[in-house]
């Protein structure tokens, strides 16, 4: 995993040590944002999301193919 340092903007690499996360090679800043830590969803929130049609469409819906003016959806798909 690679992400950008929140302090100086340098690309960080995944730490090879015992502590998971990324380490900035320039300033030494450590980050765990890309690991999804501290992002636990409660059961109630998950249950509410499971019955939300907008959320389900966003996750499982068909991706939209942008159509340029003067072209059909099939033309865009075949390109």
């Amino acid at each position: 995993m690679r992400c950008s340092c929140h302090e100086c903007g340098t690309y960080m690499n995944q730490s090879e040590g015992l502590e998971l996360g990324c380490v900035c090679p320039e300033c030494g800043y450590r980050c765990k944002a890309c690991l999804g830590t501290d992002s636990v969803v409660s059961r109630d929130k998950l249950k509410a999301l499971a019955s939300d049609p907008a959320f389900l469409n966003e996750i499982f819906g068909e991706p939209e193919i942008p159509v340029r003016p003067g072209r059909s959806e099939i033309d865009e798909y075949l390109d």
Side-chain angles (χ1 to χ4, degrees):
M1 180 65 71
R2 291 187 67 156
C3 56
S4 178
C5 178
H6 296 281
E7 298 295 317
C8 68
T10 303
Y11 280 111
M12 301 190 295
N13 293 321
Q14 190 74 30
S15 172
E16 297 287 328
L18 295 174
E19 185 178 345
L20 296 177
C22 294
V23 179
C24 178
E26 291 296 317
C27 68
Y29 177 79
R30 295 179 85 66
C31 176
K32 295 182 181 182
C34 61
L35 298 176
T37 56
D38 298 329
S39 61
V40 177
V41 178
S42 71
R43 283 190 136 155
D44 294 333
K45 178 70 173 170
L46 187 60
K47 191 173 184 178
L49 287 173
S51 61
D52 181 359
F55 175 75
L56 294 175
N57 188 46
E58 182 70 28
I59 300 298
F60 300 110
E62 291 289 323
E64 289 186 28
I65 300 171
V67 179
R68 291 176 277 180
R71 297 178 56 99
S72 69
E73 287 185 26
I74 195 71
D75 291 330
E76 294 292 332
Y77 181 76
L78 293 175
D79 277 348

